Amino acid sequence: MSTKKISLGLFGFGCVGQGLYDVLNMSQGLEATIEKICVRDKSKKRRLDNDRFTFDKDDILKRKDIDVVVELISDTTAAFEIVSTAMKNGVNVVSASKEMLAKNFAELFKLQQENNVSLIYEGSVGGSIPIIRNLEEYYDNELLQSVRAILNGTCNYILTRMELEGKDYGDILKDAQESGFAETDPWLDVSGCDAKYKILLIGVHAFGLLLKPEQILNLGIQNIRYEDILYAKEKGLRIKLLTRAEKIGDKYRIYVMPHFIDKSSELYNVMYEYNAVEVEGAFSCKQLFTGKGAGSHPTGSAVLSDISALTYNYHYGYKKLKKFQANNAGSDPAKLLDNSFNTKVYVRFSNKKEIEKLEIISIEEEYKSAKNNYIIATVNFKSLFHFCDNKDSKVFICEV
């Protein structure tokens, strides 16, 4: 189908919104115009004229000449209201809000079907890496076995600098916040929640699994110290926050956790704010996608690609999701999650009481000192959920 001129209503003019504005203006092939930009803060100074902006969402949602609503805001509740209203009005939507998408996916999927509209969200996963579209199109008939990925640029940036500069987490985090690589409240990133939302979206397109965030383990890097980095370096390893989605027999293992990575892995050399997604299929073997996982222009370019796709009336086919639902009518996909396996981990802690809820099968290595204790142990995976999203815990856990 031929391309057409497209009118946009944009929600949000922060980092990604401004990046979209820039790359759209530099685009040579796409005929798209931002008709109006809806923002929240009336006092904030912006680089465009005031008449380009509105503070009332209905100034966009009730317009009849808007072809696509582009949602790029941080408020997940408001984002869901905007996206769902637009779809109910028969308007196609592009979104980069991975938390909103992951928490409301079942309803959003239903709205797409009921209103015959497209909801495209490449920019929500992996920044500039076109992983969703590839899973939808290139791998649509592939029997995928695993997706292993570095999906949070903030965490990878912090881990890289800790290793290369020999500094502790707190020092690097403060610097990252000052330079714009980390949020003022970094919890969403450093706890692994952000990566979890992304792997849930990948799981829909890779395996047809529609899961809820609370069903997936996420352990982050918020408790890491330089001693942990040093331990890895001494053994020729690097620590990376990995998201994993794997099919083991007729079950699936999907989780987020720091990992020791050796030099044989292509993920070893993914540094700073770069992301990477390693896809392994029964026929295609391993393939690696890399690119900047965050930032104004990289994410803006992904959003622009989604807008461009809509000029060709593109929509996700959800072939694997529809097939799964047809073959498993009424059953809960969470029942296919395997959380009862044993795994080997590095656990650093201050005292034994901190890890009393960890179900240890066997200990391979143990170290004790006045300030630092660690074990290399095989543990029951399910017991790791005791440390998931626990802001009081000071324990650092890394899969070996």
Side-chain angles (χ1 to χ4, degrees), residues 130-320:
I131 187 59
I132 298 295
R133 202 89 56 82
N134 270 289
L135 289 170
E136 269 288 304
E137 308 299 334
Y138 185 82
Y139 296 105
D140 61 337
N141 289 301
E142 171 66 285
L143 299 174
L144 292 182
Q145 297 171 333
S146 74
V147 178
R148 298 170 75 243
I150 296 169
L151 286 177
N152 187 272
T154 298
C155 288
N156 209 42
Y157 177 85
I158 292 171
L159 292 170
T160 299
R161 287 195 55 194
M162 285 181 69
E163 177 192 343
L164 298 183
E165 299 174 26
K167 294 181 179 179
D168 219 334
Y169 170 79
D171 297 326
I172 298 297
L173 174 62
K174 183 179 178 182
D175 190 47
Q177 289 170 320
E178 291 173 352
S179 58
F181 282 102
E183 300 289 342
T184 304
D185 180 1
W187 178 258
L188 191 68
D189 291 315
V190 300
S191 67
C193 288
D194 174 80
K196 175 172 70 172
Y197 299 141
K198 293 171 180 176
I199 200 65
L200 280 170
L201 296 175
I202 285 177
V204 169
H205 297 276
F207 300 112
L209 295 176
L210 208 170
L211 299 165
K212 298 175 182 177
E214 59 269 21
Q215 295 168 335
I216 301 298
L217 174 76
N218 60 284
L219 300 180
I221 66 165
Q222 70 272 19
N223 296 328
I224 196 169
R225 297 178 188 166
Y226 181 66
E227 299 99 280
D228 307 316
I229 298 284
L230 189 60
Y231 177 89
K233 285 180 71 173
E234 289 172 349
K235 298 187 178 299
L237 305 169
R238 278 182 174 147
I239 297 176
K240 299 290 184 183
L241 183 70
L242 287 195
T243 59
R244 301 180 66 161
E246 301 171 330
K247 192 172 191 293
I248 311 292
D250 60 353
K251 296 278 189 176
Y252 297 86
R253 296 178 183 176
I254 303 177
Y255 59 98
V256 179
M257 195 191 311
H259 283 62
F260 288 138
I261 303 292
D262 65 29
K263 293 178 181 179
S264 67
S265 170
E266 292 188 81
L267 298 175
Y268 181 89
N269 291 314
V270 179
M271 307 292 273
Y272 293 102
E273 71 270 28
Y274 277 79
N275 279 194
V277 183
E278 180 187 85
V279 180
E280 184 172 3
F283 309 120
S284 57
C285 299
K286 286 185 181 180
Q287 293 176 305
L288 186 73
F289 301 83
T290 61
K292 285 196 173 182
S296 180
H297 288 163
T299 308
S301 70
V303 174
L304 183 66
S305 175
D306 283 345
I307 295 168
S308 177
L310 288 174
T311 67
Y312 293 89
N313 298 319
Y314 181 80
H315 63 277
Y316 296 138
Y318 295 110
K319 185 184 291 185
K320 291 186 177 180

Side-chain angles (χ1 to χ4, degrees), residues 75-114:
D75 184 330
T76 55
T77 302
F80 176 69
E81 183 183 353
I82 289 163
V83 170
S84 58
T85 299
M87 288 197 290
K88 288 174 184 176
N89 290 342
V91 179
N92 294 325
V93 178
V94 170
S95 174
S97 300
K98 78 284 292 187
E99 181 177 1
M100 182 276 293
L101 291 162
K103 287 182 174 180
N104 300 284
F105 196 89
E107 178 66 18
L108 294 171
F109 174 67
K110 183 181 177 183
L111 285 171
Q112 290 178 74
Q113 312 304 307
E114 289 177 346

Side-chain angles (χ1 to χ4, degrees), residues 58 60 194 271 357 363 368:
D58 287 339
I60 291 176
D194 174 80
M271 307 292 273
K357 292 184 178 180
I363 296 177
K368 294 181 181 179

